[in-house]
Amino acid sequence: MVNAWLTAGSAAVGLVVGAAASSITRTLLRRPVHIAQSWWLGAVITATLLALLGWRIGFRGELLVYAYVLTLGVPLAVIDWVEHRLPRIVVLPQLAGATLGLGLLCVMRFDLASGLRALGAALAAAGFYLLLAVLVEGGVGSGDVSLAAVVGLVTGWSGWPELAGSLVLASLGALLLLLLPHHSSRRKAVPFGPCLLAAMTTVLAISG
C-alpha cells in the first residue's frame, strides 16, 4: 500500500516537474519542433519514469536523487534525439546535483564505501566514453562523456554490475538505432544520450 501511494505521488510530482523542465527543451532547442517542445511530452515521460522508480525503489533517499537526475534527463534526451547534442549547461548541474545528493546520503548513513564506488564508477564510465570519442571521430561528443559520468555515478552507487549493465544496454540501444532504417543521412548519427538514460533507468528499476 505504501508503494502504491508513493508510485501515485511520484507520478503526480513527475507531471509537475516534467512540465516545468520542458522549458529547458524549449529554450535550448535551436530549431522549433512542436512535439519535442510541448510541455505535455516532458510531463508524461517524467511522470512515467518517476512512477516506475517510486514503485521499485520505495521510500528511500535515493529516490530524490534519481528523480532529480531523470527530471533533467528527459529534456536532455529530447534535445539529443532532435539535434544530436547534450548541452553542458544542463548536464553539469545534473552531475553536481547527483554528486551532492549521494554525498549527503553517505554522510547520513555513514557509508563511505558506496560513495567511493560511485565516484570510481563515474570516472570509469566517463573514461570509457572518452576513449570512444577518441576512437570514433565525430561519433561521441563531450556531452556524452559528461552524461556517462552521471550514469556511472548513479548506477555505481548500487554496484559495479549495475554500471556494467547500463553500459551494455546503452551500447545495444545505440546499435539498434544504427540498424534501424532511416530516410536522412543525419539519422546515421546515433544519439547516445537517450540510450544512456534509458539504460540507467532500466537498471535502476530492475535492481530496485
Side-chain angles (χ1 to χ4, degrees):
M1 181 62 70
V2 174
N3 266 18
W5 283 107
L6 186 58
T7 300
S10 297
V13 170
L15 283 173
V16 175
V17 299
S22 65
S23 63
I24 298 174
T25 309
R26 290 191 296 273
T27 300
L28 296 180
L29 273 178
R30 292 171 177 168
R31 56 192 182 94
V33 180
H34 180 67
I35 295 179
Q37 293 177 311
S38 61
W39 68 266
W40 59 263
L41 179 66
V44 170
I45 296 176
T46 307
T48 302
L49 295 178
L50 296 199
L52 175 63
L53 290 184
W55 171 56
R56 291 294 298 147
I57 294 171
F59 196 72
R60 290 159 45 200
E62 285 87 349
L63 180 60
L64 295 176
V65 179
Y66 300 162
Y68 171 78
V69 170
L70 286 178
T71 297
L72 292 182
V74 171
L76 280 173
V78 173
I79 293 170
D80 197 23
W81 183 266
V82 175
E83 297 183 347
H84 298 283
R85 64 186 183 90
L86 291 164
R88 280 176 288 181
I89 195 173
V90 181
V91 180
L92 294 182
Q94 185 188 43
L95 178 59
T99 303
L100 177 61
L102 294 179
L104 289 175
L105 290 181
C106 284
V107 173
M108 293 170 60
R109 298 174 181 174
F110 302 100
D111 182 12
L112 185 60
S114 295
L116 291 176
R117 183 179 61 240
L119 289 176
L123 292 174
F128 175 70
Y129 268 75
L130 181 59
L131 179 62
L132 286 180
V134 173
L135 296 178
V136 185
E137 185 177 354
V140 178
S142 60
D144 297 310
V145 176
S146 299
L147 184 59
V150 175
V151 173
L153 183 76
V154 171
T155 57
W157 175 262
S158 298
W160 290 105
E162 284 78 3
L163 168 64
S166 65
L167 294 182
V168 169
L169 284 177
S171 299
L172 291 175
L175 179 61
L176 179 61
L177 289 178
L178 190 61
L179 294 177
L180 286 176
H182 45 76
H183 303 287
S184 168
S185 59
R186 181 174 176 77
R187 291 292 297 126
K188 293 180 181 178
V190 176
F192 281 102
C195 298
L196 279 167
L197 292 164
M200 179 190 71
T201 305
T202 301
V203 168
L204 292 177
I206 293 174
S207 63

